[in-house]
Amino acid sequence: MFKKDISSGAKSKVKSSVQRAIRSKVTETYPLLAPHIDEIIPKKSQLDLLKLPDRVTLYALDAEPLFFQHMDDALIPHLRVVHQFPNCFSRVRIDRGAIRFVLSGATLMAPGLTSPGGRLPSGKTYGDAAAGDPDSGYDGRELEEGEVVVVEAEGKEEACMIGQLRVGTEEIKDKKKGVVIDQGHFLGDGLWRMVID
């Protein structure tokens, strides 16, 4: 979606009623962000709305991108927000072999998640997971199609991509092939490099 450099189009201020709706939508979609919402979008602050190519809307605060939305899809946090609050999102992990493809803007395929270095949710709840279980940090519940998920890379500390799942994690485990995320925001893409005036 953001493979090339992008420049923002029209920039406008968001009305306070719309800003309250965005705050409530963020806390509804990402419940673990609720304690941090005043840090991300302070009540007395003024959000900016920027129009981007391909019908994408970017919400920014003081030239800092926060969330983007394609048409009426879910609000997706910018990777800078993900890096600030890494444990507030559902996540999966890709193996080392998939890293270069993801960072070049390729579609994320199931083998990158199902191979030995990849991780998907185990289907266990937090109480069921063993103390040394490597899957325990990967949100115990299975993820559904359309959910926003953070993609981490094996051996790296920071998330490298965020996007919406095209298939649920149970189906990924069963089939072990096919497209998982076809459009997302990744490190080094046009949205990451974009400068907001």
Side-chain angles (χ1 to χ4, degrees):
M1 185 183 304
F2 305 111
K3 288 182 185 177
K4 298 179 181 174
D5 285 341
I6 53 176
S7 59
S8 62
K11 181 178 178 181
S12 60
K13 301 288 183 190
V14 174
K15 293 197 297 188
S16 60
S17 59
V18 175
Q19 187 165 323
R20 281 192 304 272
I22 290 170
R23 283 173 55 100
S24 65
K25 186 70 175 169
V26 167
T27 55
E28 177 186 315
T29 309
Y30 310 104
L32 295 175
L33 270 183
H36 309 288
I37 193 67
D38 287 330
E39 204 176 324
I40 298 169
I41 308 172
K43 286 184 180 178
K44 299 290 182 186
S45 64
Q46 179 63 55
L47 273 183
D48 292 324
L49 179 145
L50 290 90
K51 296 286 187 182
L52 302 178
D54 299 326
R55 297 183 184 175
V56 175
T57 304
L58 176 68
Y59 297 100
L61 178 67
D62 301 329
E64 186 70 30
L66 298 177
F67 298 92
F68 67 94
Q69 183 176 28
H70 180 258
M71 295 174 68
D72 291 331
D73 290 349
L75 274 172
I76 300 176
H78 192 278
L79 276 173
R80 289 189 173 99
V81 174
V82 173
H83 292 164
Q84 270 185 297
F85 308 100
N87 297 322
C88 295
F89 304 97
S90 299
R91 54 200 173 123
V92 294
R93 186 172 78 193
I94 56 173
D95 65 359
R96 291 182 189 276
I99 296 172
R100 68 185 176 120
F101 296 108
V102 167
L103 294 181
S104 66
T107 299
L108 179 59
M109 305 298 282
L113 297 168
T114 57
S115 64
R119 288 280 182 274
L120 288 167
S122 61
K124 302 174 188 173
T125 60
Y126 286 113
D128 295 341
D133 187 358
D135 293 332
S136 63
Y138 288 87
D139 195 10
R141 66 181 180 82
E142 296 290 346
L143 303 174
E144 302 295 322
E145 176 183 349
E147 277 191 64
V148 175
V149 66
V150 171
V151 179
E152 296 177 333
E154 179 185 14
K156 306 295 180 192
E157 292 181 20
E158 301 287 343
C160 63
M161 181 181 186
I162 188 164
Q164 284 184 296
L165 288 175
R166 293 242 340 245
V167 294
T169 53
E170 281 189 47
E171 188 177 336
I172 295 169
K173 290 176 189 175
D174 291 341
K175 292 186 177 178
K176 295 188 184 342
K177 62 181 178 179
V179 175
V180 176
I181 298 174
D182 60 353
Q183 293 185 5
H185 164 41
F186 57 92
L187 283 176
D189 67 0
L191 185 59
W192 178 262
R193 292 189 310 264
M194 189 174 100
V195 176
I196 301 172
D197 299 333

